[in-house]
Amino acid sequence: MPPHPFEGRFEEHADRPSPPLRVLVADDNPVIRAGLTAVLSASDDLTVVAEAEDGRAAYEAALRHRPDVILLDVRMPGVDGMAALPYLVRLAPVMMLTYSDEREIVQEAVRLGAGGYLVHGEFTTPQLAQAVRDVGGGRPHFTPTATNALLAHIRADATAHAKPKLRFLPPQNSPQNLSQMQPDVGQSTQSRFQLSGREAEIMDLIASGMNNQQIAAVCFISEKTVKNHINRIFAKLHTTTRSQATAKWLGVA
């Protein structure tokens, strides 16, 4: 009996490797560009399709080559990375790769759409390659300094929504009252709901609008672990949705 004309073709297609992620590197330092190109090209699943020395050149190269991921420096002559970022994110996921570790810059980059933020000196070569894969796959990736900057912004925003009020102290001639005084209004939201430190951190991220995937990336834990934490948070806050939990956490429910 002659073989079926499609026999073996599906298996051949299934075994065919995925094409490598196409990367655009934008940095004004030619030595750094060359180094990044060499490092990334050493991975079979990554290839650098173009380099650019500033934001304008990066935009033109992105239009021409349609990369899967753009690595973008912050400070460059001419059009810098921050100015080009809102335009580049319309063409491909962008990961900031820079020496700039200022908290405000990290926060602004994320606000403008950056899918990741890596600070030079805080990652190894394998971690860089994995970060490119993550951002290319829609998974945020941040090095510790960038993560801390985001958490600081989230905590400051949460504090602004729920400032504690100070109680008047009892008279000085009543020392017993001082030892018995319990902080009620001034009690922290964390202790009021009996959340652990990690649960409070995750609740801050939920209140900021992050999804489970983003929280997992920022906290360097799995999405399954995030879900487990959220289930415990909901139980302690006596809520069933993120919006209910956020309202209680910020003191508006």
Side-chain angles (χ1 to χ4, degrees), residues 67-86:
D68 299 307
V69 182
I70 299 172
L71 299 188
L72 183 64
D73 190 14
V74 169
R75 293 191 173 93
M76 294 182 287
V79 179
D80 66 15
M82 297 300 288
L85 180 56

Side-chain angles (χ1 to χ4, degrees), residues 139-152:
R139 298 179 297 274
H141 198 112
F142 301 90
T143 50
T145 296
T147 300
N148 290 337
L150 293 178
L151 290 176

Side-chain angles (χ1 to χ4, degrees), residues 9 23 61 76 88 94 105 132 159 182 193 218 229 233 237 247:
R9 293 191 181 182
V23 184
M76 294 182 287
L88 292 173
V94 176
I105 292 178
V132 172
T159 300
Q182 297 295 325
F193 291 116
V218 169
H229 281 304
I233 291 169
L237 270 60

Side-chain angles (χ1 to χ4, degrees), residues 176-197:
Q176 278 191 332
N177 290 340
L178 284 174
S179 62
Q180 293 171 356
M181 185 176 67
Q182 297 295 325
D184 51 13
V185 180
Q187 186 181 31
S188 73
T189 309
Q190 176 182 340
S191 59
R192 179 156 58 94
F193 291 116
Q194 297 184 328
L195 267 59
S196 68

Side-chain angles (χ1 to χ4, degrees), residues 154-178:
I154 291 164
R155 287 168 179 156
D157 186 62
T159 300
H161 283 83
K163 291 184 178 179
K165 298 179 181 179
L166 297 177
R167 298 181 59 188
F168 290 106
L169 292 177
Q172 292 183 351
N173 58 359
S174 305
Q176 278 191 332
N177 290 340
L178 284 174

